[in-house]
Amino acid sequence: MSNFYSKSSTQIRVYLRVKVERAHQVATGERAEGFRSCVCDVACRRPHAPTVRTPTSRLIMKKCEYQQIDPRALPTPTPPHHRGDDDGGGGGKSDELKRPRRKWEVFPGKNRFYCGGRIIVARQSGVLPLTLGLILVTSGLFFMFDCPFLVKHLTSCIPVVGGVLFVFVVITLLQTSFTDPGILPRATPDEAADIEKQIDNTGNASYRPPPRTKEVLINQQVVKLKYCFTCKMFRPPRTSHCSLCDNCVERFDHHCPWVGNCVGKRNYRFFYTFIVSLSFLTAFIFGCVTTHLALIELVICFFSVWSILGLSGFHTYLVASNLTTNEDIKGSWSGKSGEDVTNPYSHKNIFINCCYVLCGPLPPSLIDRRGFLPADESAQTSGADIEGKPQTAHTCPDNNSPAVNSDPSPELSMSCGARRAASPQGDGSPSHHTKTRWKKSKRAALHVPNPAFDVPVSPTSPDAASFAPSQ
Amino acid sequence: MAETHSLQDLQQPAVSSKVFVQRDYGSGTTCRFQTKFPSELDSRLDKQQFEETIQTLNNLYAEAEKLGGKSYLEGCLACLTAYTIFLCMETHYEKMLKKIARFIKDQNEKIYAPRGLLLTDPIERGLRVVEITIFEDRSVGSGR
């Protein structure tokens, strides 16, 4: 966040400096009066008529003009006093262009990043604050009021056990929320072009082909891989595109609003540990509280115990059969259609399935959030960033919706990245609507698939659906 | 004329095309790449050499994702510590990825760079493809 603020103040300084500079140029005759000067001078991408390029204006010129300058043809070196003038603005800008950018800053999905890209959350935090609040309040009340009573009358192990469970619950909740669930980076333009070429070769080029699928044989089962129009690739098996986060997630389970993140390959074990330890914690508190009869805790725990226990039981079944919520809902391997289908990913042994899902090797994040962009991409995107930033202060909310609803370009998405979280456009009403729905249905409905949050892609529709949160 | 081709030399000539070796999902979601030899590399590379590279890559990824005593121990220990151990310890998978990076660098230096080709580490493409960049022949021809 501090990065964003320092950048925007730099941009404001640059913007003001340009305005002063241009006024000065008109006064001294360097620039003809009536020259079209946009309000969004630095941000505008339209090529303007070339002006007399003083070293000062050259440094702070917008991206399209800057690119027109051939660095080898610069007539005079920059005078030192101009450099000194521009250290605040122009120096800042040249530093910006040279500063290597990290990949999270240009991430195309709808995620937010904190701590320099170390922490990743979905754009909408859902009801994560509510989840945390409920856990903290209930546990706090338990430790403050019930524990002294129970320690006096029973044993001092009670707060110890409660404490361990509480720590487990909070740590695994935060890990589920802040970990990359297994996001697949989008295909590079070259890859996308290669895939398009392959599709055109095999299909009829005279009309737009139907939703693209590719069939593969996995352990003697035919599995259809769908083409993702957003990420421009054929999704690997068990991968699904989450419309809320606008990412393809490997081994996609579901998008959980209670933790404010998708649950996928990389954070499923954290999620499972969270719900199991939470069910133990709520059962424990419920058991202790019935001896002491504290009403608030009793009510919260009563409703929580049944729903959380039910959810834990459901996910234990999924783990034992190596299924995802997504596959279970769709009935991919249940043989509904009458064919003899079995889950090709299962190891046919409950114990091995459990070990694989919960204790198997944890693959690292594929999106390399803290890696640096290559220098040429960095220069391009930082130029676009400088263009985009002054606009974002005023026009980002307007630009955001069309940008989000069409194929999001990396530049626009990057420039609005930090803002997009705050912008109510595009997602405001659906998120409010679904939030209200969730609060009404309470925890008991958590394991019941909510089309608003679960996999949005229907078997037949192409991924235009990925842009709308609900079907 | 014997000349060592550094990658910097090869990046000066233009990229003629890129070949993508896709994933092989025949055995599930484990990371494997197809060993089918792309026709675009016919003039540059031996089929056997290519298959050997891809097969070794597949073996390395299989070892990274192997279910065995060591990985289970790591998983159980992580579970007991509420997975906080991942913050301080490098997982087996990460160690294998470093090994794979070294292998690819080695292959590039010994086999692919002299032929005007460049292997890109699949991890940079989200483990979706092995990208082989084919550079124009003129710089390689002048070097030989």
Side-chain angles (χ1 to χ4, degrees):
Chain A
M1 289 300 265
S2 62
N3 266 349
F4 171 70
Y5 286 123
S6 63
K7 252 186 269 179
S8 65
S9 66
T10 309
Q11 293 316 307
I12 290 168
R13 281 203 299 272
V14 167
Y15 169 73
L16 289 171
R17 190 170 297 280
V18 168
K19 295 301 288 177
V20 165
E21 181 68 20
R22 296 223 185 248
H24 175 70
Q25 285 173 350
V26 167
T28 57
E30 269 184 352
R31 175 193 290 265
E33 209 162 357
F35 172 81
R36 184 187 61 196
S37 60
C38 297
V39 172
C40 55
D41 212 1
V42 176
C44 185
R45 297 183 192 215
R46 290 173 295 170
H48 286 48
T51 62
V52 173
R53 292 192 171 100
T54 63
T56 311
S57 60
R58 187 182 300 122
L59 281 174
I60 52 178
M61 213 172 283
K62 57 188 175 295
K63 179 197 174 215
C64 52
E65 285 192 19
Y66 184 85
Q67 280 182 340
Q68 291 164 12
I69 300 164
D70 185 3
R72 289 172 287 188
L74 284 176
T76 53
T78 312
H81 72 277
H82 277 136
R83 276 267 185 221
D85 268 346
D86 289 326
D87 273 344
K93 176 172 166 156
S94 60
D95 283 348
E96 288 246 5
L97 287 173
K98 284 182 207 154
R99 182 178 73 83
R101 301 177 70 80
R102 293 196 188 262
K103 290 181 186 172
W104 67 265
E105 297 178 56
V106 299
F107 186 68
K110 293 184 206 173
N111 290 94
R112 285 181 285 167
F113 299 90
Y114 300 108
C115 292
R118 290 180 181 89
I119 290 175
I120 175 171
V121 292
R123 190 219 310 206
Q124 301 156 24
S125 58
V127 292
L128 173 64
L130 175 70
T131 311
L132 262 176
L134 278 172
I135 293 169
L136 290 172
V137 162
T138 314
S139 307
L141 288 173
F142 171 72
F143 286 120
M144 277 197 307
F145 297 109
D146 295 298
C147 276
F149 175 80
L150 289 165
V151 162
K152 201 162 60 170
H153 289 89
L154 278 176
T155 165
S156 57
C157 283
I158 288 180
V160 173
V161 171
V164 166
L165 283 173
F166 172 72
V167 163
F168 245 80
V169 164
V170 171
I171 290 179
T172 48
L173 170 63
L174 294 178
Q175 283 178 332
T176 312
S177 301
F178 298 154
T179 306
D180 168 18
I183 296 172
L184 275 177
R186 298 190 184 182
T188 55
D190 294 319
E191 270 181 71
D194 188 63
I195 293 176
E196 291 273 343
K197 208 167 55 177
Q198 285 176 21
I199 293 170
D200 285 340
N201 283 345
T202 54
N204 192 339
S206 63
Y207 67 95
R208 186 186 157 83
R212 301 160 169 179
T213 57
K214 190 163 80 169
E215 288 189 356
V216 294
L217 202 65
I218 299 177
N219 291 333
Q220 281 81 51
Q221 284 284 343
V222 173
V223 175
K224 272 194 180 154
L225 304 184
K226 284 196 211 137
Y227 183 76
C228 182
F229 286 92
T230 314
C231 304
K232 305 261 188 299
M233 60 179 174
F234 280 100
R235 287 190 212 122
R238 312 192 95 178
T239 302
S240 201
H241 191 97
C242 175
S243 67
L244 288 165
C245 303
D246 204 23
N247 295 312
C248 271
V249 177
E250 282 191 293
R251 205 184 179 276
F252 181 80
D253 195 84
H254 65 286
H255 182 102
C256 184
W258 296 99
V259 303
N261 200 4
C262 288
V263 177
K265 182 158 97 167
R266 295 190 71 247
N267 65 349
Y268 185 75
R269 63 192 71 194
F270 306 145
F271 176 74
Y272 183 77
T273 313
F274 165 63
I275 55 174
V276 166
S277 50
L278 185 62
S279 50
F280 279 125
L281 179 70
T282 47
F284 181 74
I285 293 180
F286 186 66
C288 292
V289 152
T290 45
T291 62
H292 199 215
L293 289 176
L295 193 63
I296 301 173
E297 293 170 61
L298 204 68
V299 164
I300 295 174
C301 287
F302 181 74
F303 287 113
S304 305
V305 159
W306 300 116
S307 51
I308 299 290
L309 269 177
L311 188 64
S312 302
F314 173 65
H315 277 279
T316 307
Y317 155 71
L318 291 181
V319 163
S321 38
N322 199 346
L323 277 175
T324 61
T325 307
N326 192 21
E327 288 164 353
D328 189 67
I329 289 165
K330 285 188 186 167
S332 312
W333 313 117
S334 64
K336 290 197 298 204
S337 47
E339 300 157 12
D340 182 25
V341 290
T342 54
N343 182 4
Y345 314 108
S346 170
H347 294 91
K348 314 289 183 211
N349 179 316
I350 290 176
F351 182 66
I352 296 180
N353 279 339
C354 290
C355 285
Y356 175 68
V357 175
L358 301 175
C359 302
L362 184 71
S365 176
L366 295 175
I367 54 176
D368 189 24
R369 304 185 292 278
R370 288 189 48 81
F372 289 103
L373 283 177
D376 52 350
E377 278 182 48
S378 183
Q380 280 175 18
T381 52
S382 65
D385 183 30
I386 286 157
E387 284 179 36
K389 283 291 183 191
Q391 263 184 338
T392 58
H394 305 288
T395 59
C396 184
D398 299 330
N399 285 340
N400 204 17
S401 308
V404 163
N405 290 327
S406 62
D407 198 15
S409 70
E411 290 170 352
L412 265 175
S413 65
M414 175 276 306
S415 66
C416 296
R419 285 266 186 188
R420 209 187 287 143
S423 166
Q425 297 295 326
D427 262 335
S429 46
S431 79
H432 174 72
H433 171 68
T434 48
K435 230 190 229 189
T436 320
R437 283 180 68 185
W438 270 108
K439 281 181 176 166
K440 282 180 184 166
S441 61
K442 294 183 191 171
R443 289 189 181 215
L446 182 58
H447 66 281
V448 174
N450 183 341
F453 285 110
D454 288 331
V455 177
V457 182
S458 69
T460 53
S461 68
D463 279 46
S466 66
F467 300 119
S470 56
Q471 292 280 324
Chain B
M1 175 166 80
E3 192 176 293
T4 310
H5 292 270
S6 72
L7 291 175
Q8 275 74 30
D9 292 340
L10 283 171
Q11 276 169 17
Q12 293 308 315
V15 173
S16 133
S17 66
K18 290 188 182 185
V19 177
F20 297 96
V21 179
Q22 300 287 341
R23 282 272 294 268
D24 172 17
Y25 294 115
S27 47
T29 51
T30 49
C31 187
R32 284 182 62 84
F33 292 97
Q34 294 176 358
T35 48
K36 183 167 137 316
F37 186 64
S39 51
E40 293 94 331
L41 298 177
D42 235 339
S43 54
R44 304 272 192 130
L45 193 63
D46 284 336
K47 185 175 170 182
Q48 199 205 353
Q49 208 121 51
F50 172 81
E51 279 179 8
E52 218 175 273
T53 309
I54 300 293
Q55 200 55 50
T56 316
L57 265 182
N58 287 343
N59 291 341
L60 287 169
Y61 281 117
E63 204 189 310
E65 295 178 2
K66 192 176 66 169
L67 300 171
K70 196 175 170 203
S71 66
Y72 288 147
L73 194 65
E74 199 179 67
C76 286
L77 187 66
C79 185
L80 291 172
T81 57
Y83 302 106
T84 49
I85 207 163
F86 289 141
L87 297 168
C88 22
M89 194 179 84
E90 196 181 51
T91 64
H92 176 63
Y93 207 114
E94 284 165 349
K95 287 186 191 135
M96 287 307 301
L97 285 178
K98 286 190 176 162
K99 196 169 164 186
I100 288 166
R102 283 195 300 269
F103 168 73
I104 288 183
K105 186 168 169 237
D106 187 54
Q107 290 280 295
N108 271 330
E109 281 169 2
K110 291 193 181 141
I111 301 173
Y112 290 84
R115 291 168 171 78
L117 300 170
L118 180 70
L119 274 182
T120 304
D121 196 336
I123 196 76
E124 291 175 31
R125 299 287 177 262
L127 292 182
R128 287 188 307 266
V129 287
V130 177
E131 185 181 302
I132 304 175
T133 314
I134 304 173
F135 292 97
E136 280 180 18
D137 217 354
R138 51 182 172 82
S139 64
V140 176
S142 63
R144 292 240 173 110

